[in-house]
Amino acid sequence: GNMAGFMDPLHLCALRATSSSTSLTESELILERTLEIQWPSDNGVAEARPFVCPDCVAKHFQDSSVVKALADAAAATIAAEAAALAPIASAASAGPAVPQIVQAKTERCTPAAITKPQASITRTADRFRWAMLRGEGSGASARSLQGWAASGNWFFFSPHYCRYDAWLLPVDETSALNPAGDYRLEPTELAELRADSQYLQCHERVACLVLLSWGWDAYSDRPVEMQDEDAGQGWHQSGAPAWRLRHLCLSLWLLGQSQLREQAKHFALSLGPAAPWDEDGFSEATFTLFQNQDGANAVQHFWANRPRRYCHETTCRRRRLRDIVVSADIRCQLDTHC
């Protein structure tokens, strides 16, 4: 591909199938901005360096050799990763990102690359921990969001591109996207995650990145000075997803992220009359189902029959955005299962 005609065609990488049954097509890539190219890990060989938040998963391994390998691989990068958001927020505040050179590698990640432990894969709490590192299926992980922010590709955060809410910002509700409740938090799982400081650090980072994609700097608790609107940064540029803002605030409330929940409320207040205070999750069903055949009826059917069993009730049981941001903090202990 070439960079919008400004340079000669540049060979980026080669993708080779791991089995003869996988068919690949040849395509020309025209890259106007730095992009992250994702490829299913079981079908291809191109993969970026993993998002490192090892402690929130490593302590659940039963294989000590994997734990040691992960710790060794993370040692050189953990300090930089811990402060990763600060320079990203600073750069975003300063204005549009400078175009960067795309780097791709055609081999797998290091030998210490994480693979899911089969012994605990059915545990929902571990599933959420893994999602921070590797995503769910072909979905985005926390490192994906960090990479999008670092390269200034804010439009990737939009729900039109990726629906990462369910596994990176878990809540105790069933969504129209996952009507079987695969990602719904139960009280025991919620208590376990709330007691895991390493997981909460990852969760906080994801929330900060989502707010940053809407043009809100969580570190300074104020709007980004120069939003890169051409790259999709900003509330309206992201499609003004009222349901995602509510989902974010609900996840912050459930997981005890009090300071970030307050900052998310400040962001909502900054929207003025456009703030979706009455959003109760219904627009997620509309966003997900309305384009389907008989969409309007599908939306109404889901909404009328959705499960209403929650870990905790907000101050007002309607669970609107306005109710979530003003509800008292949850007092939750692991031994009492909330």
Side-chain angles (χ1 to χ4, degrees):
N2 61 59
M3 298 296 288
F6 293 110
M7 60 174 60
D8 294 334
L10 173 66
H11 180 74
L12 296 177
C13 65
L15 298 177
R16 296 184 177 84
T18 57
S19 66
S20 58
S21 61
T22 303
S23 60
L24 297 176
T25 59
E26 295 182 0
S27 301
E28 181 181 9
L29 300 178
I30 307 299
L31 303 180
E32 297 181 356
R33 303 185 62 84
T34 303
L35 301 178
E36 177 185 31
I37 301 176
Q38 295 184 328
W39 192 264
S41 58
D42 55 348
N43 288 336
V45 293
E47 194 171 54
R49 180 176 63 82
F51 174 92
V52 180
C53 196
D55 292 339
C56 60
V57 176
K59 68 182 181 181
H60 298 282
F61 286 131
Q62 296 181 353
D63 186 346
S64 59
S65 63
V66 175
V67 176
K68 183 179 184 303
L70 176 60
D72 291 343
T77 57
I78 187 71
E81 293 284 1
L85 271 184
I88 293 173
S90 176
S93 299
V98 176
Q100 303 174 18
I101 298 175
V102 174
Q103 294 182 345
K105 53 193 259 183
T106 57
E107 71 279 1
R108 283 210 175 274
C109 293
T110 63
I114 301 167
T115 55
K116 293 185 178 181
Q118 297 302 313
S120 61
I121 189 59
T122 58
R123 294 187 57 199
T124 304
D126 281 348
R127 188 178 183 184
F128 286 125
R129 292 185 178 99
W130 276 122
M132 289 291 179
L133 294 165
R134 298 296 295 266
E136 272 285 295
S138 60
S141 64
R143 71 169 177 83
S144 302
L145 273 63
Q146 184 166 288
W148 301 340
S151 59
N153 286 299
W154 302 106
F155 55 85
F156 282 175
F157 284 84
S158 169
H160 295 280
Y161 174 79
C162 187
R163 297 287 298 274
Y164 47 77
D165 315 77
W167 54 87
L168 296 184
L169 296 168
V171 298
D172 59 350
E173 296 180 344
T174 298
S175 68
L177 184 66
N178 299 287
D182 298 336
Y183 300 102
R184 185 181 63 234
L185 278 173
E186 297 294 341
T188 302
E189 298 149 1
L190 174 60
E192 182 178 341
L193 292 178
R194 284 176 62 104
D196 188 338
S197 61
Q198 296 297 329
Y199 174 81
L200 292 178
Q201 289 179 17
C202 297
H203 181 262
E204 176 185 353
R205 187 174 302 178
V206 168
C208 288
L209 286 168
V210 173
L211 285 170
L212 194 60
S213 75
W214 293 332
W216 191 263
D217 185 343
Y219 281 94
S220 61
D221 197 20
R222 65 187 183 198
V224 172
E225 293 182 4
M226 295 181 62
Q227 296 182 21
D228 192 358
E229 295 181 355
D230 290 341
Q233 187 179 27
W235 175 246
H236 295 289
Q237 287 71 24
S238 183
W243 58 267
R244 179 169 276 180
L245 174 57
R246 175 192 174 272
H247 185 110
L248 169 68
C249 291
L250 179 58
S251 186
L252 292 173
W253 177 63
L254 288 169
L255 286 160
Q257 304 277 23
S258 301
Q259 183 177 355
L260 259 179
R261 179 167 60 114
E262 187 69 12
Q263 292 166 347
K265 182 176 75 172
H266 294 165
F267 165 71
L269 287 168
S270 75
L271 298 176
W277 296 114
D278 290 325
E279 173 60 42
D280 58 1
F282 182 78
S283 66
E284 186 273 334
T286 302
F287 180 89
T288 304
L289 301 173
F290 196 77
Q291 299 303 320
N292 298 343
Q293 185 177 7
D294 199 26
N297 288 335
V299 172
Q300 293 296 337
H301 181 269
F302 166 78
W303 193 249
N305 294 281
R306 73 193 189 284
R308 293 176 175 83
R309 186 182 72 255
Y310 309 129
C311 294
H312 294 279
E313 289 288 357
T314 54
T315 303
C316 176
R317 291 176 178 268
R318 292 183 62 184
R319 281 196 157 204
R320 299 165 300 179
L321 174 62
R322 68 171 72 251
D323 307 317
I324 294 168
V325 298
V326 301
S327 289
D329 291 339
I330 299 169
R331 303 302 176 189
C332 181
Q333 299 295 328
L334 182 60
D335 57 355
T336 61
H337 304 305
C338 294

